[in-house]
């Protein structure tokens, strides 16, 4: 018999019993934050489940990880604890288990309508790294900025390139983004212009949430790296392309990126994604031994970007891409991050970089979709080259199973005018 919940879950809901993504929420504005999982149109309050003594496995029964204001303590416990929690929650929410289903008092306390809660950042993010792992994106960006002769630098095919981002400006979905100000490229002999960014962009990304880290000086083996990844979120790494273009040589992104990065509130675990694993693209040349995986896999996650133009009620789909297009896998990214001895910690975030596909409608940012503003993008009777004040950008992502979905919900943000 297929796994079913006693809670009614619509077939197109992102939050089936096969998913059970983790987040942190407040049931009331004055409530303390607590961990939860999404199931249908409800959030299951894990603090109530823990206080009822229903996490009784050997690792979790004496742990207070579900009584914390974030998920970091759960992340640190590692894969055995995650598997124990998932098995317990799937059993408690199944249609054949009476423990929660037939306990009206516990159901009333533990199941909160999703429309009534406030979602907050689910993890305390100590460090944030952003990779550059999509070959299609790398080729397009290289062609735009350097021409078609050698668009991708030789090192890109040998290692997952990345930069260290700004953890303090990572915000939860629904948070407004203030248009950044900064310097842009000068014209001729004029000084560089200063003011609000004129080339504000989105970047369609996902990000891995690190579980147990590693000691300083002790790299993580690429074939064990999956044990150090708790799950994945949607991520919009907003970009000010004009600020970025002027500053990024020679040290890379800085103010063009650090003004805001938005993540979705729900972390979908690797266990939930496992049924949708697929082969990663063939890598040529063969990566060095420390990046050579016994099994190299991505996940078949359909991704979509919509823009709701300022003053309009309806949004318009501008991108349909897929996580499976990534050239460098999550596990290669994590292993490479630690190969020099760098220590990762629970709650660290590793962004994939923009996920572009091979088709014109699968490009993951406006830089590519408008070819750096040389083309207009049509949106519900209006046009855009880059984002304008009042525009809202909405990401969604999901995997389609047999009669159910494993999804991420939405990752959204609206652009507000530059601060005076």
């Amino acid at each position: 018999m297929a796994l079913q919940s006693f809670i009614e879950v619509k077939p197109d809901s992102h939050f089936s019993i096969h998913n059970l993504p983790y987040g942190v929420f407040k049931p009331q504005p004055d409530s303390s934050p607590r961990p939860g999982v999404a199931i249908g149109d409800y959030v299951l309050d894990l603090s109530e489940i823990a206080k009822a003594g229903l996490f009784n496995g050997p690792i979790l029964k004496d742990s207070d990880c579900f009584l914390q204001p974030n998920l970091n303590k759960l992340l640190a416990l590692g894969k055995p604890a995650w598997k124990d929690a998932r098995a317990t929650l799937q059993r408690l929410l199944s249609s054949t288990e009476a423990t929660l289903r037939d306990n009206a008092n516990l159901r009333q306390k533990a199941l909160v309508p999703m429309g009534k809660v406030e979602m907050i950042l689910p993890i305390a993010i100590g460090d944030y790294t952003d990779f550059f792992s999509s070959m299609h994106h790398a080729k397009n960006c290289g062609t735009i900025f350097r021409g078609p002769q050698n668009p991708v630098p030789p090192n890109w095919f040998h290692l997952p390139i990345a930069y260290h981002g700004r953890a303090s400006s990572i915000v939860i979905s629904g948070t407004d983004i203030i248009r950044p100000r900064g310097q842009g490229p000068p014209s001729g002999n004029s000084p560089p212009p200063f003011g609000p960014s004129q080339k504000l962009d989105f970047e369609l990304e996902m990000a891995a949430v690190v579980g147990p880290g590693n000691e300083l000086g002790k790299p993580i083996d690429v074939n064990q790296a999956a044990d150090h990844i708790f799950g994945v979120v949607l991520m919009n790494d907003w970009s000010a392309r004009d600020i970025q273009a002027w500053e990024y040589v020679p040290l890379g992104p800085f103010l063009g990126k650090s003004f805001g990065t938005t993540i979705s509130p729900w972390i979908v675990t690797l266990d939930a994604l496992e049924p949708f694993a697929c082969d990663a693209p063939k890598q040529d040349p063969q990566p060095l031994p420390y990046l050579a995986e016994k099994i190299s896999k991505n996940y078949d996650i359909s991704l979509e970007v919509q823009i709701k133009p300022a003053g309009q009620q309806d949004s318009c789909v501008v991108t349909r891409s897929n996580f499976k297009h990534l050239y460098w896998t999550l596990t290669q990214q994590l292993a490479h991050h630690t190969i020099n001895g760098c220590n990762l910690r629970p709650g660290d975030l590793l962004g994939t970089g923009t996920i572009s596909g091979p088709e014109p409608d699968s490009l993951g940012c406006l830089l590519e979709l408008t070819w750096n503003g040389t083309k207009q993008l049509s949106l519900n009777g209006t046009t855009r080259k880059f984002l304008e004040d009042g525009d809202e950008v909405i990401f969604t992502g999901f995997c389609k199973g047999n009669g159910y979905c494993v999804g991420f919900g939405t990752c959204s943000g609206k652009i507000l005018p530059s601060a005076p």
Side-chain angles (χ1 to χ4, degrees), residues 169-226:
S169 53
I170 297 174
V171 297
I172 198 70
S173 175
T175 305
D176 293 334
I177 299 295
I178 297 172
R179 181 178 296 273
R181 296 193 297 166
Q183 296 186 28
S187 177
N189 294 322
S190 300
F194 175 81
S197 170
Q198 300 301 301
K199 291 187 173 182
L200 192 54
D201 200 356
F202 66 83
E203 286 195 344
L204 173 61
E205 303 195 24
M206 303 193 81
V209 177
V210 175
N214 57 302
E215 292 182 33
L216 185 67
K218 294 187 177 180
I220 295 171
D221 186 282
V222 70
N223 294 304
Q224 298 170 357

Side-chain angles (χ1 to χ4, degrees), residues 19 42 44 60 114 117 131 193 198 203 212 218 263 384:
N19 190 356
Y42 292 87
L44 180 67
L60 294 176
M114 193 174 288
V117 308
F131 283 85
Q198 300 301 301
E203 286 195 344
K218 294 187 177 180
I263 64 171
R384 289 289 185 273

Side-chain angles (χ1 to χ4, degrees), residues 138-314:
K139 282 185 175 179
N140 288 332
C141 289
T143 301
I144 288 170
F145 292 121
R146 292 185 297 277
Q149 291 75 25
N150 296 291
V152 184
N155 64 341
W156 193 91
F157 291 98
H158 290 274
L159 56 89
I161 292 173
Y163 73 93
H164 191 76
R166 185 74 189 172
S168 65
S169 53
I170 297 174
V171 297
I172 198 70
S173 175
T175 305
D176 293 334
I177 299 295
I178 297 172
R179 181 178 296 273
R181 296 193 297 166
Q183 296 186 28
S187 177
N189 294 322
S190 300
F194 175 81
S197 170
Q198 300 301 301
K199 291 187 173 182
L200 192 54
D201 200 356
F202 66 83
E203 286 195 344
L204 173 61
E205 303 195 24
M206 303 193 81
V209 177
V210 175
N214 57 302
E215 292 182 33
L216 185 67
K218 294 187 177 180
I220 295 171
D221 186 282
V222 70
N223 294 304
Q224 298 170 357
D227 292 345
H228 295 263
I229 298 174
F230 176 67
V232 185
V233 294
L234 296 171
M235 188 171 86
N236 184 348
D237 190 28
W238 305 89
S239 296
R241 299 298 186 186
D242 41 2
I243 297 173
Q244 181 183 2
W246 178 229
E247 72 179 1
Y248 85 104
V249 177
L251 289 181
F254 182 33
L255 300 183
K257 294 282 195 176
S258 60
F259 61 92
T261 300
T262 305
I263 64 171
S264 56
W266 297 109
I267 306 171
V268 176
T269 64
L270 289 196
D271 277 342
L273 292 174
E274 187 57 35
F276 309 98
C278 58
D279 290 338
K282 179 176 172 55
Q283 295 178 342
D284 183 22
Q286 182 78 13
L288 293 177
Y290 80 92
L291 289 170
E293 301 181 280
K294 293 176 182 176
I295 300 174
S296 187
K297 66 184 180 184
N298 279 341
Y299 300 96
D300 185 4
I301 307 171
S302 297
L303 300 170
E304 186 177 275
V305 179
Q306 299 180 32
I307 296 178
K308 183 189 290 184
Q312 295 196 15
Q313 293 297 312
D314 298 324

